[in-house]
Amino acid sequence: MYYLGIDVGSVSTDLVIMNEKRRIIDQLYLKTRGTPIEAVKEGLRQLGKKYKSREIDGICTTGSGRSLAAAVAGADVVKNEITTHGVAAAVYDPEIRTIIEIGGQDSKIILLNDGVIRDFAMNTVCAAGTGSFLDRQAERLGLAVQDLGAYALRAANPVRIAGRCAVFAESDIIHKQQLGCSMEDIIAGMSKALVRNYLSNVAKGKEIEPKVCFQGGVAANEGIRRAFEEALECEILVPEYHKVMGAYGCAVIAQEHIEEENKKTRFKGFEVGHDDISTDTFECTDCSNHCEVVLLRSKGRQIGCFSDRCGKYQATDIKLSVSV
């Protein structure tokens, strides 16, 4: 039997199918493209071509769109990204003590002690330490984002790029181009700037101890990995499935939940990938909060409700084990 993990982020939607021995047997890394419902449905449709719904014993969702995905797919558990990335790293290597996670729109540091999360932090104000900054610069330089790492590794003399702000960093990159600096040196300098931004903002005041694990889509960039190794003076581990570690942690949590509770899964089946799902939004005027309520509907009935502070519009048939 298998367990399904879904991680819905602003840039990517990741799905993992894991077997009972906690081995990943399938994974999907899809672009969210601003439509998380469609991304989840697309993932379910693709997996539904290879697996039967009855083979799924449990499902968990995470990410910024975790509640939405839970309503669409019928999740047994909903967890935040900190928990799922921490669980995934602890299963991958129990000796990991620091997790560096850099995604498309946010970055995190998670500190572990014997596999238990003891501290964490996330970026709050600047995109300079995230994957979206690299995407933007790759597009502006006319390169594929996956080629940035190779350029950085060929650099002879990386230039100094301001790392405290995405706007200042881009201005600095343009200035270095106008000075005739090589593309390799500029990209290597940009990689070091991203690492400085991360260490001085996200990781500020945190005690980074080895083993250090690098997760998220940016971990594929060898230039960033080397910049972290030089700055921290230690080896940086990059798991084979670094892009989908959040979804993998979800699958592990789903397995633990189902086995501990001895319950049947609420998974609705891969067939929901073909359902028409619509949303309705309205402002509730019953109190001074004036909540902007979002209702999720499929086949003529409500399958989810979000943003109502008092919970009066929640569907009665959706009872999730939510821990945020």
Side-chain angles (χ1 to χ4, degrees), residues 6-8 13-15 28 30-32 35-47 59 61 65-66 68-73 270 272-273 277:
I6 303 178
D7 182 357
V8 183
T13 294
D14 316 323
L15 294 91
L28 292 176
L30 307 172
K31 293 291 185 182
T32 303
T35 56
I37 294 176
E38 291 305 314
V40 172
K41 288 171 57 181
E42 172 63 23
L44 293 174
R45 285 197 298 271
Q46 289 191 27
L47 292 176
I59 171 175
T61 61
R66 55 185 178 269
L68 196 65
V72 171
F270 294 114
V272 298
I277 299 175

Side-chain angles (χ1 to χ4, degrees), residues 86-87 90 94 96 112-117:
V87 168
I96 289 173
L112 302 176
N113 190 6
D114 294 329
V116 178
I117 297 171

Side-chain angles (χ1 to χ4, degrees), residues 14-302:
D14 316 323
L15 294 91
V16 159
I17 288 187
M18 180 192 81
N19 66 13
E20 292 174 313
K21 295 182 178 179
R22 298 186 171 179
R23 294 190 63 180
I24 294 176
I25 62 168
D26 212 332
Q27 60 167 326
L28 292 176
Y29 182 83
L30 307 172
K31 293 291 185 182
T32 303
R33 303 186 191 282
T35 56
I37 294 176
E38 291 305 314
V40 172
K41 288 171 57 181
E42 172 63 23
L44 293 174
R45 285 197 298 271
Q46 289 191 27
L47 292 176
K49 294 177 182 177
K50 295 188 281 185
Y51 305 96
K52 298 184 184 304
S53 298
R54 65 173 182 272
E55 294 180 297
I56 302 300
D57 250 6
I59 171 175
C60 172
T61 61
T62 190
S64 56
R66 55 185 178 269
S67 297
L68 196 65
V72 171
D76 301 300
V77 193
V78 182
K79 288 288 185 182
N80 62 59
E81 306 98 301
I82 301 295
T83 302
T84 56
H85 278 279
V87 168
V91 172
Y92 171 71
D93 186 342
E95 294 183 358
I96 289 173
R97 296 183 64 85
T98 304
I99 300 170
I100 295 170
E101 198 280 333
I102 302 181
Q105 293 289 341
D106 62 28
S107 53
K108 317 172 188 67
I109 182 169
I110 305 170
L111 305 181
L112 302 176
N113 190 6
D114 294 329
V116 178
I117 297 171
R118 62 180 176 86
D119 198 5
F120 70 92
M122 295 181 66
N123 69 324
T124 54
V125 294
C126 183
T130 69
S132 63
F133 172 72
L134 295 177
D135 285 338
R136 160 70 182 161
Q137 297 313 315
E139 181 181 2
R140 207 185 58 76
L141 295 171
L143 301 172
V145 69
Q146 61 267 25
D147 293 336
L148 293 180
Y151 271 86
L153 294 182
R154 293 198 297 268
N157 297 295
V159 299
R160 180 81 177 181
I161 301 291
R164 64 186 181 280
C165 168
V167 176
F168 291 159
E170 182 168 316
S171 297
D172 236 5
I173 291 170
I174 294 171
H175 178 62
K176 300 300 182 186
Q177 285 180 292
Q178 292 169 338
L179 291 176
C181 298
S182 72
M183 188 76 83
E184 287 81 0
D185 288 347
I186 291 173
I187 293 173
M190 184 175 71
S191 302
K192 290 177 178 290
L194 185 146
V195 169
R196 284 199 307 276
N197 178 286
Y198 178 92
L199 295 176
S200 61
N201 290 291
V202 182
K204 185 177 182 180
K206 306 297 183 187
E207 187 176 356
I208 298 177
E209 298 178 354
K211 296 182 175 177
V212 180
C213 181
F214 190 9
Q215 301 177 180
V218 177
N221 187 314
E222 281 291 330
I224 302 292
R225 177 184 183 177
R226 176 180 289 184
F228 268 119
E229 288 180 332
E230 291 176 357
L232 298 176
E233 298 181 339
C234 69
E235 182 185 5
I236 304 294
L237 303 176
V238 177
E240 178 183 359
Y241 300 108
H242 59 86
K243 285 185 177 180
V244 297
M245 289 293 273
Y248 176 53
C250 270
V252 173
I253 291 170
Q255 181 188 26
E256 292 176 345
H257 175 79
I258 292 297
E259 291 179 352
E260 288 174 3
E261 300 292 329
N262 194 25
K263 292 181 177 178
K264 289 187 176 180
T265 181
R266 297 190 180 97
F267 181 47
K268 296 179 179 177
F270 294 114
E271 297 77 14
V272 298
H274 298 281
D275 289 352
D276 289 327
I277 299 175
S278 61
T279 57
D280 293 322
T281 304
F282 68 95
E283 180 178 305
C284 177
T285 57
D286 289 355
C287 76
S288 58
N289 285 327
H290 285 234
C291 296
E292 192 173 61
V293 182
V294 180
L295 299 178
L296 204 62
R297 300 185 188 281
S298 176
K299 298 179 179 178
R301 70 181 185 89
Q302 180 179 320

